[in-house]
Amino acid sequence: MTNRLVLLLTMLAVLSGCGGRAVTGLQAGVSSEKTAAVVPIFLATNRARSDNPALPYSAERSQALNFAEFDVGIPGNHTPGRVETSSRVPDPARQFAAVDYRPIEDRRRFVAALNAALAKRAPADREIFIFVHGYNNNIAESLFRNAQITHDYGINSVSLHYAWPSGGAIPLYVFDRDSVIVGRRGLAETIELAAQTNATNVVLVGHSMGAYVVMEALRDLALSGGQRYLRRLGGVVLAAPDIDIDAFQSQADDIGKLPQPFTIIVSRRDRALGFSRRIAGGHPRVGSGADIALLQSRGITVLDVSELDGGTHSVFASSQTLMKLIDNSRLMRATLDDEKASTEPSALAASAAAVEGATSLTLFLPARLIGRMATAAPTQ
């Protein structure tokens, strides 16, 4: 690793404000009594199992998927958009903590457990939400981020976390890039398992380098005859994708018809992606909004959050403005619905105006929606 790369990664560590790494709390048997809420999170991972309850899955790579269910406690002092953690035994009144952990033996039992969770929900909520974490995450940090998103966005779906074997350390950027390739098949298998359940819908969200895992998994399914699993996806969101724009085009070409709706969240102020671009020799990243017109031409909706609450690398998870916006179902259904939806500019404007701060969000509709809007526009 060159001195230049070490310097860049060190600067990235400073910008991200990394302190001690989060732990689950399982090592001390943390109780749920002091938590404000408990979020169940199913886990599928190709991280290897560990004997350390503080981090029951390590950064080591496993050739087989492991399954589990966690109950994650949300602390009473929780600020929406934040993940309050501790590198020691967490206080469940002040920090996120895993208050229960149940390993699941095999795929059959995992599907059965997902179906049992789906059956407890109202018909409208029988959806599976798969979240794929980004670079530099250990198992506790990625689980807690999933729980935070589920809690703060009021997601009523069954939350399923896919954890690929990130090294969980700033200098291990290259290790993590290699782990994307190791982890892609595990995510493809996880999508297959979700598709085999009784869910009415499966939504897939990938953040940062996790978006690279998502695209590789979709590509893997497309090239291996798994189109029927792709058709079960009711939406894909890539938040701040750390993907070279040329690599993305190649992946999209191999996938063919992308699942719809397909949304990408970008920011020109994302400093983490700026460092990634420098490490890659100046090649632009998709999440930096390098070529929005290209994304539009592929039927992708682009949300530019550059001016939204700082436009940071994790703004998709931390922005309270975005949480309010997504809670406004009129706007989100109008902009992100499938090809059968009708989209009217007046409806978009009225809905966005109802949310304070939403005017700093720029929406780029896919070419197919723009064309339909133009066709539907009244003649003068």
Side-chain angles (χ1 to χ4, degrees), residues 74-142:
I74 309 295
N77 68 338
H78 172 59
T79 299
R82 293 191 59 190
V83 181
E84 298 88 356
T85 62
S86 172
S87 58
R88 300 181 179 181
V89 176
D91 176 354
R94 299 188 302 115
Q95 287 117 12
F96 279 66
V99 298
D100 200 5
Y101 162 55
R102 299 174 293 279
I104 299 174
E105 291 184 21
D106 54 35
R107 287 167 171 76
R108 182 181 62 81
R109 288 180 174 84
F110 187 61
V111 170
L114 289 172
N115 278 332
L118 289 165
K120 295 176 182 177
R121 285 164 168 73
D125 296 329
R126 288 175 187 163
E127 178 179 82
I128 293 177
F129 162 57
I130 303 176
F131 176 69
V132 186
H133 65 86
Y135 153 67
N136 185 30
N137 274 227
N138 68 25
I139 189 65
E141 291 157 349
S142 62

Side-chain angles (χ1 to χ4, degrees), residues 134-324:
Y135 153 67
N136 185 30
N137 274 227
N138 68 25
I139 189 65
E141 291 157 349
S142 62
L143 274 171
F144 293 166
R145 175 62 79 184
N146 195 341
Q148 175 260 313
I149 293 170
T150 300
H151 178 268
D152 291 351
Y153 277 93
I155 295 172
N156 295 320
S157 312
V158 172
S159 287
L160 167 53
H161 182 54
Y162 178 70
W164 52 279
S166 165
I170 290 285
L172 296 182
Y173 184 87
V174 175
F175 174 88
D176 277 16
R177 297 293 290 188
D178 291 341
S179 287
V180 166
I181 304 303
V182 177
R184 65 184 175 187
R185 184 56 206 163
L187 177 56
E189 291 180 17
T190 300
I191 294 170
E192 291 176 11
L193 293 172
Q196 293 169 22
T197 69
N198 298 326
T200 57
N201 211 16
V202 178
V203 174
L204 179 60
V205 175
H207 175 230
S208 187
M209 202 177 286
Y212 203 157
V213 183
V214 167
M215 288 300 292
E216 284 294 301
L218 298 182
R219 177 179 178 275
D220 189 274
L221 287 169
L223 296 179
S224 63
Q227 285 83 359
R228 65 187 183 280
Y229 302 121
L230 293 177
R231 288 193 291 269
R232 287 278 276 139
L233 291 173
V236 175
V237 177
L238 305 183
D242 186 2
I243 309 175
D244 178 280
I245 190 69
D246 294 328
F248 179 83
Q249 290 190 71
S250 178
Q251 291 167 327
D253 286 342
D254 286 343
I255 294 167
K257 181 176 173 57
L258 294 173
Q260 293 296 327
F262 199 105
T263 304
I264 295 181
I265 301 174
V266 305
S267 173
R268 298 182 305 280
R269 299 173 67 185
D270 189 329
R271 290 186 290 178
L273 292 183
F275 280 111
S276 176
R277 176 174 180 165
R278 291 177 65 183
I279 291 169
H283 288 266
R285 323 313 287 169
V286 173
S288 297
D291 196 337
I292 290 175
L294 168 68
L295 302 179
Q296 288 178 283
S297 71
R298 289 185 174 272
I300 296 170
T301 296
V302 181
L303 298 181
D304 186 343
V305 296
S306 301
E307 305 303 323
L308 187 72
D309 297 337
T312 62
H313 191 55
S314 296
V315 70
F316 84 101
S318 62
S319 169
Q320 296 188 41
T321 303
L322 196 57
M323 292 173 196
K324 294 175 185 176

Side-chain angles (χ1 to χ4, degrees), residues 331-351:
L331 174 64
M332 297 314 292
R333 288 178 184 176
T335 58
L336 305 182
D337 210 348
D338 62 23
E339 295 183 0
K340 296 180 181 178
S342 65
T343 305
E344 299 178 3
S346 59
L348 303 183
S351 298

